[in-house]
């Protein structure tokens, strides 16, 4: 048995069932070994960012890692942005990065580069170059164990070609999955006491706490203590919909987050980090925790968030408390000229039970949360690391993890173009994914940010850098060129009908929504002024305004 | 004047006239500053790999660096593969990578990552995070100087947002361009003596030696000494065509390179490295220099290759020697069912004087060199670092560097998909680029490599990883979706007519050549056997066979 064959068996034994691939010559033995292991599914991507983003989406839904197969340092580089999103989302991924044979590296051939250095950016916890065919399978077990621990992480195993083709390899037994500890009794008691004190307190949930069991436990605590539930701004995976506790996500815009967090005396973190501004802005604080507010940790990312919440629930005697649950509610069918909010409305009107909703719509998705809050239960996946180009690849992986659940990916035009090659993998694997592209012909969010960072309104050259209108992209043609059924819609009626058809018809679909910018003209001019005013307004007015802008 | 404005002036003063951009929020002050500097052209890309590949292509043709503008570590990661190609080609590039404000990094916000670590992979010689607005412009001067030195390199300047927006910056004067030394007299005399010895010797040219003046000097030396001229396998830029000395590129396949280098007693390097195998293969040497052949360096990459060749020319008294020049010769117009060699033939039939030819056609481009050898003078750009996805972005940059010269990019279907977004930038800037995509629905080279590395013929799952037929891409639709005029051709007549039209009509065009695999069926089965046999055949037979396969 050669290294690649033993590695394949070791990965399959460790529960890895899918490998998202974009191989080159140095990975040919791994590719050949695919046929020796019926438990391993290989999904080809045309670009590494698709492979890594698919592995991320897969793990978010399957709750276990997939492998990627990447070609040397350049292949890893191409996959880096979506591995960054996985890292920030604490998502387990096992990268297999092929390298030149160990005997070949000394010659500095064309594709030679320092792979470990690149890998450290996204795999700070586990980067290893396998030194020999004999060591390979244990290296793989260690990589899977590192990836699957709490918090989940990206593990990178670098596989030299001669380690892969060498004979005499032995598969290794799968790693033990380490049990994560719950919060200790003293911490739980201290937080319980805080919650009984009547001080203005909120729970901030992230990571594992945003699945159904965690949400229910947190909602009982919230009901018992009379405190609000907040969620991190970009959850890895948030289970939501009618019959589940609703949580309010921290806003992307720091000024709005300020309104949400104002007056808090205590903030309790559950598998979440204390909120910080996404970017820095001149003269503004990056730390969003209000002055005088104490931050407490119930469960750190390396702890068991659910067990910790249940301990806190018990300490408060809240096991029988009635959690506030979201009532069923769907928006009506939108009509008239298509706009981004109407797209969100149509999605809310039709969202099927069990759908996987992927939100990378940036400004166009502002109303998505409100429009789908009362829909049947579904999962929401968001842009955890801020590296755009995540949504379409995530959809590939989520659909492979959950073949019986429809995937709806809402994607901005700018973001869609980073990893547009994902559409081909959707067609190849005949995945039931509906990709909705908001074509507003603009990096709309940057038009807002240009002014928010104090760089002024921008001259003609500056504005041109944020403008996608010359020429305007035709996403329906792009999708058709990759074998995906696609239509364009410029009325709400057409859009809604297209979405109905796509949801009812298995296989991939793309619907291009031709919409005006959500924040254009007067609205964009008003926004900076409004954001600046928010902190000085009376709280109820500020909250009402914030809800109006980003519910 | 803020940091960004002073930086913009400093870059323009240093001769940087173009910035290939894909900005985000942290780069908004740099974007705003574009309007303060009329000498700086900004070219937007939809993906960072396009921006970096365009900067590479620009510098190859303009002989000076462009800047890139990238968004944090993820943006740099997306641009890494084409920066790798630039690094391997010794091409100067100045990356400006925006970062969070220095005050913001401590909060580990979503987009925070270790940028310097990623940059070191491609910028080992210059990575600097500018520490203050005051230091910024000197940092930029140092970056430009590092990039422009000999050998050219990728320099990365990391620009924190607050360094960019800070006031009180002062532009700095441009760096002195350091003069590179020629080979010293002793080395020149020693090599001259070698060339007079009558031993079997060849000159291996690379880098700067492959431009017209270097080629002419080398050809005089070759004529005087009666030695052959070889060129590195993947030249950064090779000037060629009728009336110029012809050089024989080292073959990609090690077995064929072995035939070219067989029996050599001395190999003289001129801005080139000793030939090594592109990949390692079990049981085969990576070092392609024959046993017993001595390697000598006339000019290392940090030396002046042309001045060194001229010194050697003088030492040999070869200044008046008649160099062997390529005779004018064009292939006829191809007819019948379209194949990859016929595409190359049509290109040779029509190639205009002064064209820039970009070859990333992999197996489909095997005949390109032979078919264009006697065409009017043109420049050839190749895949220096082996990281596919270079060709289309290179075409963007080359066309911007040389607006009066037509650019013809020959690209494989697999490779085209890595940076297909380049087509949009061609349309936006209305560049006269003809992109020829060979659609053979396969990673054809990997079908060859699978067997060459000894991984066997591959089972169904393995073969599927190398197959792009399900679904077959439609590049004409992809191009049209990005605003580029495009047609598909499946006959040589249609293809040639489309190429004539494209060359005569300014603006971007894409011609999709529907071709069978160049190495399919019996040919592919024959190839490994043939390659294995080459070394044992009589030299003239081996050379004739090699010429037949890869002229």
């Amino acid at each position: 048995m050669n290294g690649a064959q033993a590695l394949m068996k070791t990965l399959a034994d460790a529960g890895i069932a899918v490998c998202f691939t974009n191989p080159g010559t140095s990975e040919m033995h791994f590719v050949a070994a695919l046929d020796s292991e019926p438990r391993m599914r290989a999904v080809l991507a045309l670009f590494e960012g698709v492979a890594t983003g698919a592995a991320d989406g897969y793990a978010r839904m399957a709750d276990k890692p997939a492998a990627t197969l990447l070609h040397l340092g350049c292949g890893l580089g191409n996959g880096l942005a979506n591995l960054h999103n996985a890292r920030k989302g604490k998502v387990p991924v096992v990268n297999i990065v092929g390298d030149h044979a160990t005997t070949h590296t000394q010659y500095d051939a064309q594709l030679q580069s320092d792979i470990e250095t690149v890998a450290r950016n996204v795999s700070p916890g586990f980067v290893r170059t396998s030194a020999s065919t004999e060591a390979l399978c244990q290296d793989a077990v260690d990589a899977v164990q590192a990836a699957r621990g709490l918090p989940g992480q990206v593990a990178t195993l670098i596989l030299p070609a001669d380690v892969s083709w060498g004979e005499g390899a032995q598969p290794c037994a799968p790693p033990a999955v380490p049990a994560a500890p719950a919060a200790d009794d003293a911490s739980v008691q201290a937080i319980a006491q805080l919650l009984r004190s009547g001080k203005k307190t909120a729970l901030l949930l992230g990571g594992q706490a945003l699945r159904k069991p965690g949400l229910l436990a947190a909602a009982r605590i919230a009901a018992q203590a009379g405190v609000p539930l907040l969620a991190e701004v970009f959850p890895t995976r948030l289970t939501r919909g009618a019959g589940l506790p609703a949580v309010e996500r921290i806003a992307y815009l720091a000024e709005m987050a300020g309104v949400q967090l104002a007056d808090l005396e205590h903030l309790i973190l559950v598998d979440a980090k204390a909120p910080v501004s996404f970017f820095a802005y001149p003269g503004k604080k990056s730390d969003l925790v209000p002055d005088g507010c104490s931050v407490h940790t119930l469960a750190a990312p390396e702890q068991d968030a659910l067990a910790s919440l249940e301990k806190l629930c018990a300490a408060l005697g809240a096991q029988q408390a009635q959690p506030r649950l979201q009532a069923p509610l769907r928006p009506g069918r939108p009509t008239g000229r298509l706009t981004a909010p109407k797209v969100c409305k149509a999605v809310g009107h039709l969202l099927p039970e069990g759908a996987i909703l992927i939100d990378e719509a940036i400004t166009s998705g502002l109303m998505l949360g409100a429009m789908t809050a009362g829909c049947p239960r579904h999962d929401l996946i968001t842009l955890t690391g801020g590296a755009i180009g995540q949504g379409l690849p995530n959809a590939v992986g989520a659909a492979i993890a959950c073949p019986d659940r429809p995937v709806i990916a809402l994607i901005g035009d700018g973001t869609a173009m980073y990893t547009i090659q994902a559409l081909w993998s959707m067609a190849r694997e005949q995945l039931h994914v509906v990709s909705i592209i908001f074509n507003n012909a603009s990096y709309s969010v940057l038009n807002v940010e240009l002014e928010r960072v104090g760089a002024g309104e921008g001259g003609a050259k500056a504005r041109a850098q944020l403008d996608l209108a010359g020429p305007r992209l035709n996403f329906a043609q792009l999708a058709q060129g990759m074998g995906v059924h696609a239509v364009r819609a410029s009325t709400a009626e057409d859009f809604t009908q297209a979405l109905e058809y796509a949801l009812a018809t298995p296989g991939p679909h793309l619907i291009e929504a031709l919409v005006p910018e959500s924040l254009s003209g007067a609205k964009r001019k008003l926004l900076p002024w409004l954001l600046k005013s928010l902190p000085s307004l009376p709280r109820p007015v500020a909250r009402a305004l914030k809800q109006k802008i980003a519910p």
Side-chain angles (χ1 to χ4, degrees), chain A:
Chain A
M1 192 178 271
N2 69 24
Q5 289 158 343
L7 172 60
M8 201 67 74
K9 182 168 187 332
T10 301
L11 292 173
D13 286 347
I16 295 191
V18 182
C19 182
F20 295 96
T21 71
N22 188 260
T25 297
S26 38
E27 293 77 46
M28 283 299 104
H29 285 84
F30 189 97
V31 166
L34 285 168
D35 286 284
S36 70
E37 182 46 73
R39 292 171 295 169
M40 184 68 76
R41 178 174 178 184
V43 177
L44 179 62
L46 296 182
F47 176 69
E48 294 88 346
V50 176
T52 57
D56 176 32
Y58 175 91
R60 292 186 196 213
M61 295 311 303
D63 278 327
K64 64 176 188 173
T68 65
L69 180 66
L70 307 173
H71 186 45
L72 298 110
C74 297
L76 178 61
N78 279 339
L80 212 64
N82 275 332
L83 292 171
H84 169 89
N85 289 322
R87 175 171 78 89
K88 290 293 184 165
K90 298 173 280 184
V91 180
V93 175
V94 177
N95 294 319
I96 309 291
V97 183
D99 193 5
H100 284 311
T102 54
T103 54
H104 193 64
T105 52
Q106 63 187 302
Y107 298 106
D108 192 30
Q110 285 82 352
L111 272 166
Q112 178 72 31
S113 78
D114 180 354
I115 307 178
E116 289 198 2
T117 277
V118 180
R120 261 177 225 114
N121 179 270
V122 288
S123 292
F126 189 96
V127 179
R128 189 181 300 170
T129 301
S130 194
S132 69
T133 304
E134 293 69 36
L136 174 59
C137 290
Q138 187 58 49
D139 291 336
V141 165
D142 294 348
V144 174
Q145 185 159 37
R148 295 199 72 157
L150 268 187
Q153 62 176 323
V154 177
T156 301
L157 177 62
I158 299 169
L159 175 58
D162 52 347
V163 170
S164 186
W165 76 50
E167 288 294 333
Q170 288 294 332
C172 287
V177 177
D184 62 45
D185 295 344
S187 306
V188 170
Q189 288 306 331
I191 289 172
Q193 195 169 352
L194 202 73
L195 286 167
R196 285 194 210 97
S197 71
K199 297 234 172 96
K200 209 163 166 351
T201 303
L203 288 176
L204 176 56
L205 311 180
Q208 298 296 318
L210 295 175
R211 310 292 184 84
K212 184 181 171 189
L215 287 168
L216 285 171
R220 288 195 186 93
I221 293 163
Q224 180 86 1
V227 299
L229 290 183
L230 298 171
E232 55 192 352
V233 53
F234 289 118
T236 300
R237 174 178 165 189
L238 169 62
T239 308
R240 63 198 291 273
L244 285 173
V247 289
E248 188 181 329
R249 282 166 62 190
I250 304 276
Y252 165 80
L253 295 172
E255 297 89 338
M256 295 189 188
V259 173
Q260 293 174 290
L261 299 167
D263 301 333
L264 277 186
E265 294 168 282
H266 297 282
L267 183 65
I268 298 166
L269 306 179
V270 190
D271 198 1
K273 68 193 285 284
V276 299
S277 173
F278 200 92
F279 290 108
Y281 300 92
K284 287 181 194 159
K285 275 178 60 183
S286 288
D287 182 358
L288 298 182
V289 177
D291 293 337
C293 175
S294 315
V295 177
H296 313 266
T297 297
L298 174 66
E302 62 275 14
Q303 291 178 296
D304 183 330
L306 174 60
S308 302
L309 283 166
E310 284 171 346
K311 276 182 85 166
L312 180 58
C313 211
L316 284 168
Q319 296 102 320
Q320 304 307 322
Q322 280 303 312
R324 272 185 64 189
L325 302 179
Q326 171 70 48
L329 186 72
R330 273 191 193 274
R333 203 174 174 98
T335 57
R337 186 189 164 202
L338 193 60
T339 63
K342 286 183 194 172
V343 169
C344 298
K345 192 174 178 185
V347 170
H349 185 68
L350 295 173
L351 194 76
E353 169 90 38
I356 300 166
L357 202 53
I358 296 177
D359 176 14
E360 201 187 17
I362 321 287
T363 57
S364 293
L366 277 176
M367 301 300 291
L368 184 67
M371 290 295 181
T372 54
C375 284
R377 185 176 152 190
H378 59 278
D379 279 291
L380 175 70
I381 283 177
T382 76
L383 183 57
T384 43
I388 55 178
Q390 172 185 309
L392 295 175
N394 268 190
V396 169
I400 284 173
C402 304
D404 299 328
R405 299 176 63 175
V407 178
I408 304 178
L410 294 97
I411 315 285
D413 46 4
T415 59
M417 288 306 293
Y418 286 76
T419 47
I420 193 75
Q421 305 92 335
L423 294 170
W424 184 82
S425 295
M426 293 178 194
R428 185 176 178 86
E429 303 290 332
Q430 281 299 300
L431 306 176
H432 196 195
V433 176
V434 185
S435 301
I436 297 169
I437 312 291
F438 292 89
N439 189 342
N440 63 18
S442 170
Y443 286 125
S444 182
V445 66
L446 294 183
N447 274 306
V448 176
E449 294 286 23
L450 186 69
E451 294 175 44
R452 282 185 76 216
V453 298
E457 289 195 21
K461 280 161 79 179
R463 284 285 169 197
Q465 300 305 301
L466 317 179
D467 160 48
L468 305 179
R472 189 156 182 162
L473 291 153
N474 184 321
F475 284 94
Q477 273 183 312
L478 294 177
Q480 287 156 4
M482 287 184 262
V484 170
H485 169 257
V487 294
R488 303 185 104 181
S490 54
T491 68
E493 288 81 358
D494 284 354
F495 178 85
T496 311
Q497 199 182 343
L499 182 56
E500 263 172 335
Y501 174 82
L503 288 170
T505 313
H509 304 267
L510 181 140
I511 310 175
E512 180 175 8
L514 299 168
V515 295
E517 279 194 68
S518 313
L519 290 162
S520 60
K523 272 191 213 161
R524 193 167 72 221
K525 291 224 176 311
L526 201 64
L527 186 68
W529 171 85
L530 188 67
L531 292 175
K532 210 178 295 173
S533 316
L534 275 177
S536 55
L537 294 173
R539 297 286 175 235
V541 179
R543 274 202 74 82
L545 261 176
K546 188 253 149 204
Q547 286 297 327
K548 187 111 188 117
I549 313 169

